Amino acid sequence: MSWEIKGKTALVTGAAKRIGAQIALSLAEEGASVYIHYQNAERDARDLKAEIESKNVKAWLIQADFGNNGYEGLIERTAGVAGGIDILVNNASIFPQSSLKDMTLEGLVANIRVNAWAPFVLMRDMARIMKKGKVVNLLDSRVSGYDWTHAEYILSKHLFAAMTRMAAVEYAPDLVVNGVAPGLILPPPGKPMEYIERMDRTVPLKKHGSPFEIAAAVIYLLKSGFLAGEVINVDGGRHLIEYDRGPHPD
Ligand SMILES: NC(=O)c1ccc[n+]([C@@H]2O[C@H](COP(=O)([O-])OP(=O)(O)OC[C@H]3O[C@@H](n4cnc5c(N)ncnc54)[C@H](OP(=O)(O)O)[C@@H]3O)[C@@H](O)[C@H]2O)c1
């Protein structure tokens, strides 16, 4: 029997824009009330809140900087206002460029803090405070190989992928933890669509995906009653090819 999203409350991190916003909207369309976490994009978060409320569910805003311990106490604060959190979608992340050549410990730690440690603390707090619920973590299909232009980022996602598997076992059966690993979906913030269009050829399906496909995978995992520790690569098959496994072609 499928798990009912309708009537539940979800916290989506980094939800004001892009993939996070589509996940928040899709959850609202399924009948969930949504806590929209944002860092800087307050105006987008407000617009999204209005759009979600037009779907006859509740929406709230919460600002927090995960680069600065803003994840501490976030579950308590959101659950206190919303009357509980049933669904956590760990979507927020940073994506700075770095290579092994110029990687620094400080840069690595900054990526780990936002991309792995913050979502881990939120998961752990969900288990401790809410006692039960469902978690979907946004990973990256390049963890099957590596991304030599975003070394610190991809290492943080490797860590988060391992944390996802560990949490899926450690917190079961109360917390059900799964992941979605996007491939080419959107260019980095501020870059034109051509940024990923020129990489379409590297994808077995010869195209990039859309935030709708990511949100659909999140909804699928949440509705399932028998998936745990599963990671769905939504990447047109890119995780299967050797392109990313290096040595890099430059
Ligand atoms: N885009 C892709 O094609 C792609 C590919 C592979 C994996 N992914 C993964 O899918 C997820 C969504 O991707 P995306 O491209 O939509 O993400 P994104 O736009 O790069 O980032 C999502 C949000 O993270 C928030 N964020 C950044 N730094 C933060 C901090 N210090 N504290 C709190 N929040 C912070 C930002 O919120 P504000 O805007 O409010 O500041 C931002 O809107 C990410 O986990 C990403 O790694 C995406």
Side-chain angles (χ1 to χ4, degrees):
M1 210 176 69
S2 95
W3 194 74
E4 183 80 67
I5 293 177
K6 193 173 176 177
K8 301 290 196 306
T9 299
L11 166 61
V12 183
T13 67
K17 298 190 284 194
R18 294 163 53 89
I19 292 174
Q22 186 53 54
I23 293 170
L25 273 174
S26 296
L27 283 164
E29 278 156 13
E30 292 285 337
S33 294
V34 184
Y35 235 113
I36 302 162
H37 159 265
Y38 67 96
Q39 186 201 7
N40 294 316
E42 183 177 351
R43 181 183 290 213
D44 297 272
R46 287 194 185 284
D47 291 348
L48 180 65
K49 179 175 184 286
E51 195 176 348
I52 287 177
E53 284 169 339
S54 75
K55 298 181 189 302
N56 292 323
V57 291
K58 290 186 187 156
W60 304 268
L61 301 178
I62 183 118
Q63 194 281 339
D65 178 3
F66 294 166
N68 198 18
N69 294 1
Y71 44 83
E72 298 287 358
L74 195 76
I75 296 292
E76 278 103 327
R77 280 189 283 149
T78 51
V81 174
I85 300 287
D86 308 291
I87 297 166
L88 167 66
V89 181
N90 277 312
N91 169 79
S93 86
I94 56 172
F95 185 60
Q97 287 200 330
S98 65
S99 65
L100 288 186
K101 207 162 43 187
D102 58 30
M103 186 164 90
T104 63
L105 179 59
E106 290 72 24
L108 183 60
V109 169
N111 277 265
I112 287 175
R113 185 183 290 276
V114 176
N115 297 349
W117 185 252
F120 164 67
V121 169
L122 297 183
M123 269 197 293
R124 188 168 62 180
D125 284 354
M126 269 287 280
R128 183 173 57 84
I129 296 159
M130 297 312 307
K131 311 287 187 215
K132 67 187 179 92
K134 293 214 163 189
V135 179
V136 180
N137 292 331
L138 273 287
L139 304 170
D140 191 310
S141 79
R142 276 165 296 186
V143 296
S144 317
Y146 66 93
D147 178 351
W148 56 84
T149 56
H150 300 89
E152 294 160 346
Y153 160 87
I154 204 67
L155 286 167
S156 71
K157 288 287 186 178
H158 273 283
L159 179 60
F160 191 29
M163 286 168 156
T164 299
R165 285 193 299 273
M166 289 170 71
V169 176
E170 186 78 16
Y171 300 133
D174 305 326
L175 218 57
V176 181
V177 179
N178 288 292
V180 172
L184 285 178
I185 305 294
L186 292 175
K191 295 263 198 271
M193 275 314 279
E194 294 84 64
Y195 181 95
I196 55 168
E197 281 165 359
R198 64 188 158 82
M199 287 189 274
D200 284 358
R201 64 184 171 77
T202 66
V203 180
L205 292 188
K206 302 296 177 213
K207 59 181 181 181
H208 55 274
S210 81
F212 293 98
E213 278 137 353
I214 304 301
V218 170
I219 299 291
Y220 173 79
L221 287 170
L222 290 172
K223 283 187 174 174
S224 164
F226 204 47
L227 289 174
E230 192 58 50
V231 176
I232 304 182
N233 287 290
V234 184
D235 71 342
R238 199 173 178 217
H239 64 285
L240 298 171
I241 57 175
E242 292 300 312
Y243 174 81
D244 272 358
R245 298 213 171 137
H248 70 73
D250 300 335

